Every structure is written in C-alpha cells, then in structure tokens.
Amino acid sequence: MQLFLILIHFSAVQLPEDLITSVLVFSVKKPPTLTNVPTSFTAFFHEDINLTCEATGNPTPSFRWEKDGKNFELNTTGSGTIKAIKEEPLESYAGHYRCYASNTLGTAVTQTVKVIVEPQPSVNQQSKLDMKVYEGQSIILTCNPPESSIPPTIYWMHHINQSDRVMTGLDGNLYFANVLETDGKAQYLCTAQYTKAMTVLLDTFVQLKVLQSNDVIHGKKPQLLSPTGSHTLVQTLRGQNVTLECIPKGLPTPKVEWQKINDHLSDLRAELKKHNRWLYFESITEDDDGEYRCRASNTHGHTTHTFTVTVQAAPYWLKVPQDLMYTPGETVRLDCLAKGNPEPIITWSINGQRLENVDDDPRRTVTSSALILRDVEVTDTAVYQCEATNKHGSILLNIKLLVVELPPEILSSDGVVYKVFENGDIQMHCESFGSPRPHIKWERDDKVSLIPDPRVSLLTNGTIELENVTHIDSGVYFCSVKQTNISITANLEVFNRTVILTGPKDVHVVRGSAALLHCLFYKDSRLHDYKVEWRRNGHKLLESSRDDKYTVFDNNTLEVANVQSDDTANYSCEVHTKPLGSVSATGSITAVDPPSSLSLSDIEDHSVTLSWIPGPSHNSPITVEPQTVKGKHKWQKKKVVPGDFNHLQLILQPFCIFRFRVIAVNAIGRSDPSEPTEYQKTEPAAPSENPTGVRSNSTDPGTLIVTWDKMENRLHNGPNFQYKVYWREAQEENRSWNYDFVKSPPFQINNTGTYTPFEIKVQAVNSVGEGLSPEPQIGHSGEDKPEEAPTGVSCVVTKSTVRVTWNEAQRVRGQLLGYKVPVITTTLPTKQDRMGHQKLREDDRWVVEVHGTNTSKELTDLRLFSQYELWVTAFNKKGESPPSKLQTFNTPEGVPGPPGSLRFESPTNTSLTLYWTPPLEINGKLVGYMVQYQQEVKSHNRLLRMQEIKDPNKNDITLKDLDPSSYYIFKVMARTAAGDGPPITERGATMLEGAPPSNITIVSSNTSFNLSWVPGERERNHGFHIHYIRKSVGGQWEESEVVNSSQGFYSMTGLQTGTQYHLKIVYGNDTHWQHEISTKGPEMLGGSVTQGWLIGLISAVILLILILLILCLVKRSRGGKYAGTTTHMICDGDEKRSDSQRSLCDDSKVGSDDSLAEYGDSVDIQFNEDGSFIGQYSGRGPVPHGHDGSSPASPDSVPPPPMAPSISDTGHIGT
C-alpha cells in the first residue's frame, strides 16, 4: 500500500530574496522546526546517555520530554538535550522517549526512541578445550561470548589463513571442512570485541590434536555443517543487510554454487563472499524476495540447501514536502506518501495532540491518507504530524502550516529602458510580492492587453517575455497589480541587427610579406556606443605604431606586417554594440616551409637515426615517412613528432630495404616533402612476433585441426619462414609437447578422441631462429553427437500452458548448444464440420529449441481438450542425442468458440426461427447452447430473455410473441462443462405479410420485357402471376409462371417484335398494378428482306471455310519438304512460350526454306509416343528401312517444330 504526504497548495507564498533583510522578514513568526532529533541506542555508561532535541522558530521554542508516556523533567535550559546525572542510577534512564518543541504557533514532535541500558559484558571463566580429530574429518570450534543488544565482533587467533576449507561462520564458530595434519600444530583462541562497550573478551581456548587416518585416500561426500536440515526460512526487512550462509564439509574441500530458483543469479544485486560460502545482500529490497539454493559439490557427490527469503518493510516515506506559507481563504491538502509491508496505518496529530482529542472543525476533512483544510485562517497556523505505523515500526513527519497576510508590492524598478535587436527576444521585469499573491497585468500605452499576442509569455514571477521583436513593438509598456493603483512603466527600443558584411579570410602568405584581414560591417545609426576589436587566438591585439607589427586602418582592416612563422594563428574581428552584445568573424594566417638537409646516422642492423633541419612549421607535428623496397613501393607514415624536433631514432623491420623523407604538416595542410635518403638494407632476424588467432577448427571426431591467422610477409624477418605447431592433451600438463612444422594453416592431428581438450600453440620460425615462446590456447578435437538422452523429463499443465523440465544432459561429447523439444498433437476431436459432426484434425508437429544450459521451457497457446506427446533431445554442432522417454499429457477442457453461423426465418410476423451451426473450436464436449435476445430500443434496453438448450445436437429454436414493430439483438453461445463461450451476435426482426410489387420498372427489348422492383425490407415473400395480352386483334390473356416478390427481377420472354402489350397483376379480386408497353423493332420483316439476310450469312461462312482450307494446304507443303531422316530442332523456351511471346531463338524463321546442311551432319532425335524427347543428338545414322533419300517423309514421323533454331542462339546442337 502507498500513502501520500504532499502539500497541495494553490498560491503558496515565497519570500523574495530582496526582502530577506527587510522588516517584513523579522516580523513573520515561524512555527518550530526540529534541527536535531534523538535516535535509539544502547548505553553501557552514564556518558552514553545523550538524547538530543534542538529546534528553531520565532518565538524561540521551549522543550519538554515524555518518558514511557509520562512527563520527564529536564535539567537543562535553552536546549532540549538530555544528559545523564552520575548520581542517578544508569538503569533509571532505560525506556521510551519523545521530545516536544513548542512556541506560540505550534508544537513539533520527534519520533519515539528507545534507550536500552546494559552492564559491561564479562566472562566468568575462560573455556579451555583439548580436542582430538582424525585427519580428513570435519570439526567445529564453538565460541559463545555473552549476548548483547549490540552483537560483538568475533575473531579467531591462529596461524591458519582462512579459506574455503577453514572459515569463521556468521555465528562466530570456526568451521573446518576437513582437517589437515598441520592444523594440529597451532592453538586456537576466540576473542569477542564489544566496540560500544569498549570491551574485548577472551572466550575460548582450544588445543587441537590431529590423528592420522587411512580414510583420507577415500574422500568424503559433501554435507553441510551450517545450516542444518534441507530448508531455512529467512524473514527480513527492506534496507537491512542479509547474508545467506552455506558451510560444507567433505574431502576434497567442496565448492559452493548459488542459484535463485526460476531466475539468474547474475541479474541480482547479491554479492558472493567468503569463497562463495556467503550470499550477501546489501540493503535488501522486495525485488530480492524468493527462493535461493546453495549446492556444495566435490568429486564424490553433492548436497543442496534452500532458503526462502521473505522481505517485508517498516514504513518509509516516498516523498517529503517543503514548508510553505499560505494566504487566508486557500484550501490546503496534506497527503501522506508512505509505503510498507504490511501496509502502514496513518494517524494525524495537531501540535502533538491526536486528532481525535482535538475539537471537531467542519472545515477539516480526514480520509484514510489525507487531511484537507478549507478556507484557512491565520489562526490555523500550526504544526501537523503524520505518523505511519506497522508491526515493524513507525515514522513521523512534522508539517508546518503558516497562514499570513501581506500587502502587495512591485519590486522591479520603474521607467527601465529595454533595448533589443530586431527579431530578438526580450524580457521586461515586474517582480511582485504579497499574500495573497498579486495578479499582474501588462498593457501597451494604448491600454490593449498583451496576453492575446502569441509571441507574449507571462511568467509566474510577473516578468513578460516577447519573442521575435519587430520595430512595431517599440513604445511604452505598463505593469500593474489588479484592483490596486500600484504600477510601473517600461520602455522598449528596437534596433536593426549588426551584421559583418566582409570578414577576415584564411590567407597564406610568403614569409616577410604583409597580410591584410578585412572587417566591413553594418550597424543601426542610432547606436553610437560601439567599438571594433581584433583578437589573435582569442587574445586582444594592442594596436602599435605604423611601422610595427599590427595596424588597424580607419575602415577597421588589420594589417600584419613582416609575417613570420610565429604569426600563424586565428584572427577574429569583433564588433561590440553596447548594451546589445557583439558579433564576430574569424580568419587565419598560415606560412609553411618543408624541412631540409635530411641525413642518416648511427646506422645499425635494425635501427637508424634521422636528422633534419625543421622548416617554419609553426609548432605543427612532423610526419616521418619511410619507403620499403619490398612490396608495393608506397610511402608510409612511420612516426609523428613535435615540430621543434630535428632528429629521430627509428627501429626498422629486419630483412627489408628502406629510404626516408620528412614532411611538415599542420591544420591547414602538408608541406612539400624533403629530398629522400639513399636506400638502407636491414639484416634478417628471428621472427619478433607469433601468429594470432590460434584456435581449433575441428569438425570430425578423432581429428584435431589447428588453424591461425596467417602472418604478413613483412613479419617473416628472414628466409625459409614456417610455423611450428605444438599440441598436448590439456589434462596432461607435465607431458612433453608434440610438434611439427608447416608452411601455412591449417594443421591436422589424427587419433585425438572425441571433443578432447588440447593445449595448442603456434610459433613463427625462419632460418635465423625461432620467435618468442607463445602462450598456449585451449582447443578441442572434433565433436560427435550426444550419446545419452536427457532424463527426468516431466510436464506440469496449467490451462493452455505446459512447463517441461528435464535434467542436465550427460555425455554430450561436444559443446552443448541446447535442447530440442519436439511436440506432437494427437488426434483428439477439436472441430466439427458443417453438418455438426466432429472430425479429427491432422496431427500438428513443431519443435521448440532451448538454447544454452536451461533445463526447462514453458509452451504456451496449446489447444484445450487435446492430447500431446513430446520428448527432449540435447544437441551440439554434430547433431542430436537419442530422444528421451515419450511424455504424454492432456490439456483441460475449456469454453467453446462462437457458433459458426447464425441465420433467421420468420414463419409469422410475431415469430422467428433461429438456425445456427456448431462452433469451429469446441475445446471440449458440447453440452448445449444458450440463446439470448433483447428488444432494441433507442432510449434504453428492454429485459434480456434467455432460452437454454440442453441438447447439443439441436441447432435451431423458434421464438414467439415478438414485437413486429421492433428489431431484436440475438446472441447464441455454445456451452461445455467449462462454461459458456463467446456469442455470435446478429440483429434481426420478424417479417411482415407480403404483397405483389406496385412500383415496377420495365425495360423493353425485341422479344422480351425485363421487369424490376425493390422488395420490401421486412416483407415476407409473396407469389403472384403477371397477366399480359397482345393489343392486336385476336389477342387473349395469358399469365406468367409464379413470380416471388422477394426476387426483385423477372424477364418475360417469347414476345413478338414491335408489338404492344397490356400487363397487369391481380391481388385478391382487384387489379393491383397494370401497364402498357411495346416491344422494339418493326412488327414483321418482309420475306425478301429475310431471304437476303440469310444469303449473306451463308456466303460469309463459305468464305471462312475456303480460307481455312488454303492455310492447311500451305502448312502441309511446308512440313514435307525435307526427305530422308527426319531432323527435329529443339529451341530452349519454345515449348513453354505462348503464342504471344517471342521465341528465345531470335534469329529463327517460321517455315524457312534454307538447307540444314550448314549445321553439319544430320541429327537423329527420338521421342516417346506422346511426343516427349527421350534420346540425344547423334551423328548421321542410316536411313530407316523402307525409305530412301529421295522419298517423302514418313507419315509416322513426328512433324518438325514450327521454328528452326538459330546457330547464333543455340551455340551448338546436342547435349
């Protein structure tokens, strides 16, 4: 729970600093403010009694104390601090104390503190013990000093350094995980230091004798010396320091690991101490709540212990308010913002008196966490106390409420002139003071308020801010206090902005010549107070005589005479216009000369000294660039030195040829290079470096592949360069190294086992010698699939979620990458078809991967009322382990989904029949349906009606006694044992009695009428006949088939062309609708016209047939031109292209008469009976039996393709 302690005010008064020394400040009375408060403590001597209580206020506060709820007489004056009187017994000061500081405006109260009185700790007789223990066993040396409210610090004095084998526990005892023979050569002394009592006690003296034992070689499984049992409950408070302790015994000495259950310890604020025996929480919080497990293990086994940490909290404040003054008539709200566990109880006091003991006030309202006082008066000035309490303690806060009345006053000066550049921003001040706070208004000289202007902002202190000022804003402004005659004026002047039109540039000059830097600017003519300053690298230049270095002309141009190297700098021109500010522009002067006289000296095998005469490089760095003859002959930067250097010693690479030059560089650019030196050759040497990136890159079991980053040729340092590869098993450190030589990586070693760790290193060697001894790296031989399946697989199902856990994989035979959890959904019924019959879904299969060493996984969004199977495999780079035992689980039944569909039929105008289909997702066994319906009314909803259907196979219901004039909202919900599912919702109404249509539109054609109408929205279907008669002589009434009013359209066919008809609809015994209309066209065509039309049609058909016959003959003549072996040319893409696509053989021609001889020998292609290609191109074969070279093509042969391939497109023929 959170409780709020905030002062919410509407116009709290703050005194301005300008009035701090005025009479007003001294006349304001202030309630007491506690400046020094007491705290709880334990006293061993009279001097320890010191209960401080100091406060300030006007008038000066007086003090009183309560001890154990009764008044306690003070023995001091002018102070509230209590000190002990030596004549009185020390025990008389024990108890609970509270201090009250009071003046005429109120009383401040301290929190209750506790004083504990104890005698000085002492020991009657020191314990002396002789203890015997066998080597390898565990032992605990106990230390039991006198108890105290302030626990002592315990030390053991002995010659053994504390370690994971021997350590002091939280209880002060000395724990041995296992005893060594050397532990019996010392004496052990326990001392307890009571710092507050200024006492050190010698408690226990132990003489330990260690006996030899043959059990040492067997070892011992870990067990816990502290704590005992398997579980410990730790209850603590927020902010305290908490230590969880696990001290094991065993041989060899066990190691301890910690884990927060269902979390990662690395994410916590806890710290491991005392060789991982302690898990330490500094200032514990509620986030540290949970379960922790320590695990002690050695080569003989392991043991565990769990701790349940419960963190509660004493009350504490989340926010503390500031004390402010208020004016009469305001509403003040005091909220207590406190937090604790359990939730604190809030109590209120006024001037130290509980609120229930103070007279009721109708203006005062108290809620569970707030105190509200409306329409405050001066007499409401007081000190309010808010106290938050729970079972762990209490906290108290004093809140001073000061209600004052002060007359308004404007503190800013009158008649101030404000100046600003155009388009700038300006603030005009009108600081005020008063209680209640004065309301300030600003006006122009035309009495127009400034607040509506969007450029104007009125600050809380009365200052007005005007943005993007223009010349129109110039003038007089008035600031006044509303409802008073107090006011001041402000004058605003707007000037044109100063602009530098031509500023100094970056110039390069020859040494000894002069440089000119210009500064041409514009300013407002009304600004008479201005000046121009020149600066060099930020420092002001003093103008000298005409013949000296710097001269500023009347047009403000700067001349720098006789430019030398030290004149290289940045120069800036600044134009100052008081009091509006300044503008500036910056340029530079640069002179650079190259170094000269480069020479070599002190030439040795692998070093050389360069000397040169520096040019005027203006203290810029010098770049030295050597060139090596080996390689690409490019100049390379070798070293950068300060500009005042004239020599440099260089260490050179062995087995290379160099030459050198020097270049001067500064921020502006580079000088020309010096003349290069002669070539210098260095002697070969042993490699100075070894290859980097040494690692294993093994892929197959039984093979170790060592690889590394190949060294550059320039690092070979001599001829006959190669690599010396070392290897040995990592567990055999005393074993000699195996090695071999190789020219380049990688290097393979066989018969190395599966994922066996090896120490590997690679050394560079050449004909001169070997490089430095390299540091070994750890590599592994090739991995193999994990050998064992994971064990301990279990499933815990919660609704549509299952949590799968398993034991850590064993015999992984490689680096464990994680686990795979294949999941299969078995065929439990989950859906229904449209006829309502349940059908089985196909099995769903998916695999969940769990990366890393996690041994649990939560699977979510499973289908309800389904059966699942899963297993777990471990995997590494080579593959997966065998699967674990199959696990089967069922998800529980759930509510179904909405019905698949919902439709209506209206048998009468007061009834509706609802038809629905079963839900697509049943999620269980369907037990029925719930039907809800409600009349739709705009003003309010009518009573909801419900119909329960207990037969799950029933999919319809008839609802009677419905209002024909209203619409209804219908909902149908499916139901299982788990409850009702979501509804399917439709809006509907009953159908009214129907009638034939009366508003009919007719479209006439040659032999038919198309009739259309709009059916009534809620009218029931009505069947009717359309009666019609031809208006010519001899016509008789005829009627159409039955037409439904709901279909909205009907076509009357079989009518005569150009004939007038009379149409009508009879409803009951009356004519409901009638209309006269004619079909289109002449009544009848003459016989000659009809015959001519028929002759033309027959002629067109005959012409089309002749054209088709001609095309067939042409195609047949083209297909039989070539005699002998039939050759089929296949062009890629022709088989799949459509008639509208261009062939990929762009140069092909349809029906080409060209000979195929240009393609070489004829080719023979065979096809299946369906025409598919089954052979390949071959040389010319024999002529088939029964056909000679001049005979026509066989009628059984496959006709050639329509397009012959181009040699330019196909390249060649054949496969």
Side-chain angles (χ1 to χ4, degrees):
M1 174 183 178
Q2 296 183 355
L3 304 169
F4 295 81
L5 182 55
I6 306 172
L7 267 72
I8 298 179
H9 56 276
F10 298 93
S11 57
V13 180
Q14 295 183 353
L15 294 176
E17 294 183 0
D18 296 344
L19 294 183
I20 290 179
T21 58
S22 68
V23 179
L24 177 63
V25 174
F26 294 105
S27 65
V28 174
K29 295 183 178 182
K30 296 182 180 178
T33 300
L34 293 170
T35 58
N36 203 346
V37 296
T39 57
S40 299
F41 61 89
T42 299
F44 297 92
F45 311 100
H46 282 77
E47 292 78 5
D48 294 337
I49 302 297
N50 185 19
L51 293 164
T52 57
C53 184
E54 305 294 340
T56 61
N58 188 13
T60 302
S62 60
F63 301 91
R64 70 179 180 88
W65 283 85
E66 285 185 356
K67 178 188 175 187
D68 298 329
K70 299 179 181 180
N71 286 332
F72 182 81
E73 184 176 350
L74 285 175
N75 57 1
T76 59
T77 59
S79 172
T81 300
I82 297 177
K83 294 185 179 296
I85 301 174
K86 291 188 177 181
E87 290 75 13
E88 296 184 6
L90 182 61
E91 294 77 10
S92 64
Y93 288 96
H96 295 79
Y97 292 82
R98 173 170 279 185
C99 176
Y100 296 82
S102 305
N103 65 10
T104 56
L105 297 183
T107 300
V109 183
T110 68
Q111 193 169 333
T112 300
V113 298
K114 183 180 181 181
V115 176
I116 301 173
V117 176
E118 291 183 0
Q120 231 178 331
S122 62
V123 176
N124 294 331
Q125 185 178 1
Q126 181 181 3
S127 300
K128 294 185 178 181
L129 301 174
D130 291 327
M131 302 184 69
K132 296 181 180 180
V133 64
Y134 284 100
E135 182 182 4
Q137 290 185 340
S138 62
I139 192 172
I140 303 175
L141 305 185
T142 60
C143 186
N144 300 305
E147 294 184 355
S148 174
S149 59
I150 303 178
T153 303
I154 296 177
Y155 301 94
W156 281 90
M157 301 174 65
H158 53 85
H159 78 289
I160 300 175
N161 293 327
Q162 295 201 17
S163 62
D164 57 350
R165 187 181 67 85
V166 183
M167 65 171 289
T168 303
L170 292 174
D171 55 5
N173 296 333
L174 187 62
Y175 292 85
F176 291 77
N178 51 77
V179 176
L180 302 180
E181 183 180 358
T182 56
D183 295 337
K185 297 179 181 180
Q187 297 174 340
Y188 298 86
L189 179 62
C190 168
T191 61
Q193 180 180 356
Y194 299 84
T195 305
K196 185 69 175 178
M198 296 184 293
T199 302
V200 177
L201 300 179
L202 303 179
D203 181 73
T204 305
F205 176 84
V206 181
Q207 179 65 53
L208 185 63
K209 184 177 182 181
V210 179
L211 305 177
Q212 292 185 349
S213 173
N214 294 328
D215 292 339
V216 175
I217 59 175
H218 299 299
K220 298 180 184 297
K221 180 180 178 181
Q223 293 180 347
L224 289 181
L225 296 172
S226 175
T228 59
S230 62
H231 180 265
T232 300
L233 178 62
V234 179
Q235 292 184 334
T236 185
L237 294 181
R238 175 184 181 271
Q240 293 183 347
N241 298 333
V242 177
T243 302
L244 305 182
E245 180 181 63
C246 266
I247 302 178
K249 67 177 180 178
L251 186 67
T253 303
K255 67 176 182 178
V256 176
E257 298 173 323
W258 291 87
Q259 177 190 11
K260 185 174 184 182
I261 299 176
N262 298 327
D263 208 340
H264 295 284
L265 196 64
S266 59
D267 298 334
L268 304 178
R269 301 180 304 105
E271 178 183 358
L272 293 172
K273 290 187 174 183
K274 291 281 189 177
H275 311 284
N276 288 8
R277 269 55 177 166
W278 287 1
L279 184 64
Y280 175 72
F281 297 86
E282 182 177 359
S283 186
I284 198 166
T285 67
E286 291 87 341
D287 295 336
D288 300 320
D289 211 277
E291 287 198 7
Y292 297 82
R293 178 189 294 121
C294 76
R295 183 178 186 270
S297 62
N298 64 12
T299 55
H300 298 286
H302 69 272
T303 185
T304 60
H305 188 91
T306 58
F307 297 83
T308 300
V309 178
T310 302
V311 182
Q312 294 189 339
Y316 60 93
W317 302 120
L318 294 180
K319 186 173 183 180
V320 178
Q322 297 180 351
D323 296 321
L324 296 174
M325 294 186 295
Y326 297 85
T327 60
E330 291 184 338
T331 296
V332 178
R333 176 187 175 99
L334 285 68
D335 287 317
C336 257
L337 184 52
K339 189 177 182 180
N341 184 11
E343 66 180 46
I345 298 174
I346 300 299
T347 57
W348 291 92
S349 300
I350 301 178
N351 293 329
Q353 290 186 321
R354 295 289 293 267
L355 201 60
E356 54 265 25
N357 299 330
V358 180
D359 294 339
D360 291 338
D361 190 336
R363 298 176 299 123
R364 186 171 59 235
T365 303
V366 178
T367 66
S368 60
S369 61
L371 188 149
I372 302 172
L373 189 61
R374 296 177 176 83
D375 297 326
V376 294
E377 302 171 354
V378 175
T379 56
D380 291 321
T381 297
V383 181
Y384 291 77
Q385 288 84 31
C386 170
E387 188 169 15
T389 307
N390 66 10
K391 68 179 183 179
H392 301 300
S394 64
I395 52 175
L396 182 142
L397 190 65
N398 291 280
I399 311 167
K400 294 182 289 297
L401 176 61
L402 182 59
V403 185
V404 297
E405 285 184 323
L406 299 173
E409 181 179 352
I410 294 180
L411 304 178
S412 300
S413 301
D414 188 16
V416 176
V417 178
Y418 297 92
K419 298 181 179 181
V420 65
F421 280 129
E422 186 179 16
N423 299 324
D425 301 336
I426 190 68
Q427 286 187 348
M428 294 183 287
H429 304 293
C430 186
E431 186 176 0
S432 62
F433 173 75
S435 177
R437 176 178 292 175
H439 294 279
I440 298 299
K441 67 176 181 178
W442 280 87
E443 297 175 327
R444 288 287 300 265
D445 49 6
D446 52 6
K447 301 301 180 182
V448 176
S449 175
L450 298 178
I451 299 303
D453 192 333
R455 300 175 301 137
V456 174
S457 300
L458 181 60
L459 307 183
T460 56
N461 62 356
T463 296
I464 192 170
E465 185 175 39
L466 182 59
E467 300 176 348
N468 196 18
V469 177
T470 64
H471 288 285
I472 301 176
D473 298 319
S474 299
V476 180
Y477 293 79
F478 296 91
C479 172
S480 60
V481 180
K482 291 183 179 180
Q483 298 178 353
T484 68
N485 56 357
I486 302 174
S487 66
I488 62 171
T489 61
N491 298 281
L492 179 61
E493 296 182 3
V494 182
F495 297 87
N496 294 326
R497 188 175 293 276
T498 303
V499 179
I500 295 181
L501 303 177
T502 303
K505 308 295 184 182
D506 296 329
V507 296
H508 297 256
V509 296
V510 180
R511 271 190 306 157
S513 60
L516 295 177
L517 300 174
H518 303 286
C519 186
L520 176 64
F521 64 92
Y522 163 79
K523 69 170 185 64
D524 194 299
S525 59
R526 293 172 293 167
L527 294 173
H528 303 291
D529 188 4
Y530 76 95
K531 65 177 180 179
V532 178
E533 290 183 351
W534 281 93
R535 294 181 178 271
R536 181 181 184 272
N537 289 336
H539 301 286
K540 182 178 179 181
L541 286 179
L542 299 177
E543 185 178 356
S544 56
S545 62
R546 183 70 180 84
D547 296 332
D548 288 340
K549 176 64 72 176
Y550 304 111
T551 303
V552 179
F553 298 103
D554 293 338
N555 62 353
N556 300 305
T557 295
L558 172 67
E559 181 186 56
V560 181
N562 190 22
V563 173
Q564 298 298 322
S565 299
D566 56 359
D567 292 322
T568 296
N570 292 323
Y571 294 82
S572 57
C573 164
E574 296 182 353
V575 181
H576 297 268
T577 51
K578 296 181 179 179
L580 300 177
S582 64
V583 294
S584 65
T586 302
S588 64
I589 297 177
T590 305
V592 180
D593 284 339
S596 60
S597 302
L598 181 62
S599 63
L600 303 178
S601 62
D602 298 334
I603 301 174
E604 298 181 4
D605 287 346
H606 305 120
S607 68
V608 67
T609 299
L610 300 182
S611 300
W612 65 89
I613 299 176
S617 54
H618 324 296
N619 295 322
S620 298
I622 298 296
T623 300
V624 180
E625 298 181 343
Q627 182 187 35
T628 176
V629 172
K630 295 179 67 176
K632 297 183 179 180
H633 298 276
K634 289 186 178 179
W635 289 105
Q636 299 175 352
K637 183 191 299 183
K638 187 68 176 179
K639 192 79 172 181
V640 176
V641 298
D644 55 354
F645 276 37
N646 62 2
H647 69 281
L648 174 67
Q649 184 179 18
L650 295 176
I651 303 300
L652 303 180
Q653 185 77 23
F655 202 53
C656 290
I657 300 176
F658 298 92
R659 68 189 310 196
F660 307 93
R661 70 182 186 182
V662 182
I663 296 177
V665 181
N666 63 14
I668 303 302
R670 301 162 61 93
S671 73
D672 294 331
S674 67
E675 290 295 326
T677 66
E678 297 294 330
Y679 288 102
Q680 179 67 27
K681 179 180 180 181
T682 57
E683 296 296 326
S688 57
E689 298 181 16
N690 286 316
T692 60
V694 178
R695 61 198 181 273
S696 62
N697 192 19
S698 309
T699 57
D700 298 322
T703 301
L704 172 65
I705 297 178
V706 183
T707 188
W708 57 92
D709 298 333
K710 194 173 182 179
M711 295 177 62
E712 299 180 23
N713 291 341
R714 64 182 182 85
L715 300 177
H716 291 181
N717 288 2
N720 299 324
F721 178 82
Q722 55 185 337
Y723 300 96
K724 188 175 183 180
V725 183
Y726 297 83
W727 72 93
R728 70 181 179 187
E729 288 195 27
Q731 291 85 356
E732 301 178 1
E733 296 183 357
N734 297 326
R735 186 176 178 181
S736 60
W737 288 90
N738 303 297
Y739 65 89
D740 203 347
F741 295 92
V742 67
K743 288 291 185 179
S744 62
F747 180 73
Q748 179 173 318
I749 304 137
N750 297 322
N751 301 321
T752 54
T754 300
Y755 201 64
T756 304
F758 281 83
E759 285 188 290
I760 56 175
K761 57 184 181 180
V762 180
Q763 187 178 33
V765 297
N766 60 20
S767 60
V768 178
E770 298 179 346
L772 300 175
S773 178
E775 290 294 327
Q777 306 294 326
I778 297 296
H780 290 82
S781 59
E783 300 184 14
D784 203 347
K785 294 181 181 180
E787 189 173 5
E788 292 186 4
T791 61
V793 181
S794 62
C795 302
V796 178
V797 180
T798 304
K799 295 185 179 179
S800 61
T801 299
V802 62
R803 183 170 186 82
V804 187
T805 58
W806 57 89
N807 297 331
E808 185 177 352
Q810 303 297 321
R811 299 182 62 83
V812 179
R813 300 199 295 181
Q815 183 180 2
L816 179 65
L817 299 181
Y819 300 88
K820 293 184 180 181
V821 185
V823 185
I824 300 178
T825 317
T826 57
T827 54
L828 284 180
T830 57
K831 285 192 176 182
Q832 289 189 346
D833 58 21
R834 295 184 180 179
M835 299 302 295
H837 302 295
Q838 291 189 339
K839 61 180 181 180
L840 302 179
R841 291 178 65 154
E842 294 183 358
D843 288 354
D844 289 336
R845 294 173 177 262
W846 72 96
V847 178
V848 179
E849 288 195 6
V850 182
H851 296 282
T853 59
N854 290 334
T855 57
S856 65
K857 182 64 177 178
E858 195 170 80
L859 309 180
T860 60
D861 298 328
L862 302 179
R863 291 200 303 269
L864 294 171
F865 202 61
S866 298
Q867 188 178 67
Y868 290 86
E869 294 178 349
L870 60 81
W871 60 91
V872 182
T873 62
F875 70 94
N876 58 21
K877 292 181 180 178
K878 295 297 289 185
E880 297 183 41
S881 71
S884 66
K885 292 183 179 179
L886 186 68
Q887 297 293 317
T888 303
F889 62 91
N890 295 332
T891 52
E893 188 172 9
V895 298
S901 63
L902 177 62
R903 63 183 181 86
F904 311 116
E905 287 186 5
S906 179
T908 67
N909 60 352
T910 60
S911 64
L912 269 179
T913 300
L914 278 60
Y915 297 92
W916 61 88
T917 56
L920 299 179
E921 296 289 342
I922 298 179
N923 296 335
K925 184 177 181 182
L926 203 63
V927 297
Y929 296 91
M930 172 62 72
V931 179
Q932 298 178 350
Y933 60 101
Q934 188 176 30
Q935 191 172 357
E936 186 181 70
V937 182
K938 291 185 178 180
S939 59
H940 61 276
N941 290 329
R942 293 292 182 90
L943 183 65
L944 180 67
R945 303 178 188 178
M946 293 183 288
Q947 294 279 351
E948 183 177 4
I949 299 176
K950 296 185 178 181
D951 183 1
N953 297 319
K954 184 174 175 60
N955 299 108
D956 63 88
I957 188 173
T958 299
L959 305 177
K960 300 180 180 180
D961 299 327
L962 303 180
D963 186 354
S965 63
S966 298
Y967 275 87
Y968 287 79
I969 302 297
F970 298 94
K971 297 181 180 180
V972 180
M973 293 168 285
R975 174 177 294 180
T976 63
D980 293 341
I984 182 173
T985 303
E986 294 289 347
R987 178 177 179 266
T990 60
M991 303 294 288
L992 305 179
E993 290 296 332
S998 58
N999 186 11
I1000 300 176
T1001 301
I1002 304 176
V1003 176
S1004 174
S1005 63
N1006 288 342
T1007 61
S1008 64
F1009 294 143
N1010 292 327
L1011 289 74
S1012 60
W1013 61 92
V1014 178
E1017 182 181 359
R1018 291 185 53 196
E1019 290 184 358
R1020 191 176 292 104
N1021 182 49
H1022 180 81
F1024 62 93
H1025 295 277
I1026 301 175
H1027 301 267
Y1028 59 97
I1029 187 174
R1030 191 171 56 186
K1031 296 288 287 183
S1032 59
V1033 177
Q1036 295 182 354
W1037 282 101
E1038 300 181 53
E1039 66 177 22
S1040 68
E1041 58 187 331
V1042 176
V1043 181
N1044 294 321
S1045 61
S1046 59
Q1047 65 189 56
F1049 176 83
Y1050 181 73
S1051 179
M1052 295 179 61
T1053 59
L1055 305 180
Q1056 291 187 359
T1057 304
T1059 304
Q1060 186 177 15
Y1061 286 87
H1062 181 82
L1063 285 69
K1064 70 177 180 179
I1065 297 176
V1066 178
Y1067 182 46
N1069 296 323
D1070 300 325
T1071 299
H1072 183 68
W1073 170 86
Q1074 59 182 347
H1075 188 75
E1076 291 186 0
I1077 189 171
S1078 300
T1079 55
K1080 293 184 177 181
E1083 289 188 6
M1084 291 295 294
L1085 294 174
S1088 60
V1089 175
T1090 303
Q1091 293 174 359
W1093 177 83
L1094 182 59
I1095 292 171
L1097 177 60
I1098 294 173
S1099 300
V1101 171
I1102 293 173
L1103 180 61
L1104 287 174
I1105 293 173
L1106 289 174
I1107 293 174
L1108 290 175
L1109 290 174
I1110 293 172
L1111 290 175
C1112 290
L1113 292 175
V1114 171
K1115 184 174 181 63
R1116 182 174 180 83
S1117 64
R1118 293 280 180 95
K1121 179 175 180 178
Y1122 297 101
T1125 302
T1126 303
T1127 304
H1128 302 277
M1129 308 298 293
I1130 296 180
C1131 177
D1132 288 345
D1134 281 352
E1135 292 183 356
K1136 296 183 179 179
R1137 66 181 180 91
S1138 65
D1139 292 340
S1140 61
Q1141 291 176 318
R1142 186 183 181 193
S1143 170
L1144 296 179
C1145 300
D1146 295 333
D1147 294 338
S1148 300
K1149 298 180 180 179
V1150 177
S1152 172
D1153 292 335
D1154 296 338
S1155 171
L1156 295 180
E1158 57 179 320
Y1159 299 113
D1161 294 338
S1162 299
V1163 294
D1164 183 27
I1165 301 176
Q1166 301 177 9
F1167 289 81
N1168 285 326
E1169 293 179 356
D1170 59 356
S1172 61
F1173 175 64
I1174 63 171
Q1176 62 180 0
Y1177 295 105
S1178 61
R1180 180 186 302 270
V1183 177
H1185 180 72
H1187 298 280
D1188 58 19
S1190 60
S1191 64
S1194 169
D1196 297 332
S1197 62
V1198 179
M1203 303 184 67
S1206 168
I1207 194 67
S1208 61
D1209 288 339
T1210 60
H1212 68 277
I1213 301 177
T1215 57

